[in-house]
Amino acid sequence: MRRLIEMRKPKGHHMAETRHTKVLIIGSGPAGYTAAFMPAVRC
Amino acid sequence: MLNPILVQGIEPGGQLTTTTEVENWPGDSEVQGPDLMIRMQDHAKAMGCEIIGDIITNLDTSKRPFTATGDSGTIYTADAVILATGARAKWLGLPSEEAFKGFGVSACATCDGFFYRGQEIVVIGGGNTAVEEALFLTNFASKVTLIHRRDELRAEKILQDRLMKNPKIEPLWFHQLEEVVGEDNPKGVEAVRVKHVETGEITEIPCKGVFVAIGHAPANELVKDVLELHNGGYVKVEAGSTRTSIPGIFAAGDLTDHVYRQAVTSAGMGCMAALDAEKFLAEHDA
Ligand SMILES: Cc1cc2nc3c(=O)[nH]c(=O)nc-3n(C[C@H](O)[C@H](O)[C@H](O)COP(=O)(O)OP(=O)(O)OC[C@H]3O[C@@H](n4cnc5c(N)ncnc54)[C@H](O)[C@@H]3O)c2cc1C
């Protein structure tokens, strides 16, 4: 189970980081993970 | 490359990490839920997806790029968003219910029904979910007792008729679950104690399985005020697609699906959402 948890972002950074992505997937169940490998597969 | 970023949320791997055997995942006659989700995560990573341990606390859909705020303070901007935040079964909140979850107490008849072949089980609830689950469970169980607080069901009439005609189902009116009773070694359910809501009298019903069927709640907090919803809060998508009421926002899995609620249907919708998002970006950002 531990392997499922990515390094958790620490709360309350002093400087808020901004990340841009073409596709943001929110959620890591079967729907989220399957969506995650499809864009990579087709590019 | 689309270089997707996936934010895991509070439950990395989702609902399947809370169960043991999954018997209806194609290609695996039996796989443990957490193992399956580790494999999916590894697959997503291997295909170049960046997976981040964060929780989205706010999503601004008013303009593109959309802006999501992470609990960590990170701001994510995105040209398209795929919502896959799932759903949660509603539980009664009893300590004994919690203690036997996965060991005889379940909220998913389709997932766990076949464990109770030839055994007696109880179903808690009186709406469509409860009646559908009770009917489905008669495929396996020798007897299904439907426990409901009132003396009439909220389920659709046609379902009620089917329930009443089924010789394996016995409704127990005016009762509520007080306690799940079981053994620790091996861990499993032996009975439930139910209370008559008017007299307070306690009755013990022997059973091996308890299905809590008081409904599901989609995890729609991020979008409930901005997206079109239906059927009690599920995100509405255009038929045959994952397009929501806001162009560029797609939804997949249990968040949109009050009917099937399975891993394989969720994964299928995840695939559809990725293809829909890709098409949207090609059309809008060319
Ligand atoms: C006990 C149990 C047993 C089951 N057994 C089976 C079975 O045998 N076979 C089967 O096909 N189905 C089974 N199911 C149903 C199956 O688990 C679900 O249909 C499936 O997991 C739904 O997938 P999903 O990706 O839509 O959402 P979920 O699996 O619910 O995942 C939702 C994800 O969204 C994330 N999230 C939520 N809010 C946020 C946020 N604000 N920010 C970031 N992330 C967020 C969560 O952390 C989670 O990772 C079972 C369910 C349960 C509860």
Side-chain angles (χ1 to χ4, degrees):
Chain A
M1 183 75 94
R2 210 163 56 83
R3 284 187 56 211
L4 275 166
I5 303 168
E6 291 299 306
M7 185 68 84
R8 198 37 72 76
K9 290 225 166 221
K11 204 173 177 162
H13 278 183
H14 291 304
M15 273 219 306
E17 184 192 3
T18 300
R19 302 282 314 271
H20 182 74
T21 177
K22 286 191 170 165
V23 181
L24 176 68
I25 300 164
I26 306 178
S28 56
Y33 280 144
T34 310
F37 46 77
M38 286 311 293
V41 170
R42 285 174 55 92
C43 279
Chain B
M1 285 287 281
L2 286 184
N3 294 331
I5 286 180
L6 181 149
V7 177
Q8 288 185 308
I10 200 153
E11 187 173 62
Q15 294 171 61
L16 280 190
T17 61
T18 66
T19 189
T20 49
E21 291 92 8
V22 176
E23 304 210 2
N24 61 351
W25 183 257
D28 285 306
S29 51
E30 189 185 302
V31 59
Q32 298 289 308
D35 292 343
L36 178 61
M37 295 319 299
I38 286 172
R39 278 165 39 194
M40 283 198 208
Q41 175 176 307
D42 289 347
H43 191 170
K45 267 198 224 167
M47 300 313 283
C49 176
E50 184 180 351
I51 299 173
I52 296 180
D54 201 353
I55 300 165
I56 302 301
T57 54
N58 187 57
L59 179 64
D60 180 357
T61 58
S62 59
K63 60 177 189 311
R64 280 183 73 226
F66 304 112
T67 305
T69 309
D71 185 52
S72 63
T74 302
I75 306 291
Y76 305 87
T77 59
D79 300 320
V81 172
I82 296 176
L83 298 165
T85 50
R88 295 283 159 278
K90 291 184 189 160
W91 296 96
L92 296 163
L94 302 171
S96 59
E97 171 193 63
E98 186 62 36
F100 287 100
K101 260 187 208 168
F103 296 91
V105 173
S106 170
C108 180
T110 341
C111 316
D112 298 331
F114 48 78
F115 293 123
Y116 302 95
R117 216 172 272 284
Q119 297 181 338
E120 297 195 4
I121 57 184
V122 300
V123 173
I124 316 292
N128 281 346
T129 311
V131 174
E132 278 171 357
E133 304 255 284
L135 287 164
F136 177 78
L137 287 164
T138 59
N139 292 317
F140 311 100
S142 56
K143 179 181 174 189
V144 177
T145 306
L146 183 82
I147 297 164
H148 185 42
R149 281 177 304 180
R150 305 192 179 85
D151 66 344
E152 57 184 0
L153 299 165
R154 280 174 287 110
E156 286 164 32
K157 177 84 174 56
I158 186 162
L159 286 172
Q160 294 194 31
D161 291 346
R162 284 176 55 206
L163 181 113
M164 294 306 178
K165 281 186 197 142
N166 193 310
K168 279 191 177 178
I169 301 179
E170 187 180 305
L172 183 64
W173 308 119
F174 291 123
H175 280 79
Q176 65 185 37
L177 184 64
E178 277 293 288
E179 191 185 354
V180 180
V181 184
E183 294 288 337
D184 269 342
N185 203 5
K187 198 164 180 183
V189 170
E190 295 296 330
V192 287
R193 286 204 186 98
V194 293
K195 184 165 96 175
H196 194 287
V197 292
E198 284 167 359
T199 65
E201 190 187 340
I202 300 281
T203 309
E204 191 161 301
I205 305 171
C207 62
K208 292 290 181 190
V210 181
F211 286 82
V212 179
I214 54 175
H216 278 77
N220 65 10
E221 294 78 10
L222 292 173
V223 291
K224 65 180 187 319
D225 298 326
V226 290
L227 288 184
E228 240 180 86
L229 308 174
H230 66 158
N231 289 309
Y234 291 83
V235 170
K236 192 170 177 189
V237 288
E238 274 176 45
S241 88
T242 59
R243 289 188 292 272
T244 68
S245 52
I246 297 183
I249 306 273
F250 303 89
D254 281 13
L255 174 67
T256 71
D257 174 16
H258 68 287
V259 181
Y260 302 105
R261 294 196 301 252
Q262 296 294 296
V264 68
T265 49
S266 298
M269 283 187 263
C271 167
M272 289 166 65
L275 299 179
D276 286 344
E278 189 187 32
K279 184 163 179 277
F280 172 84
L281 291 175
E283 286 168 1
H284 288 79
D285 299 338

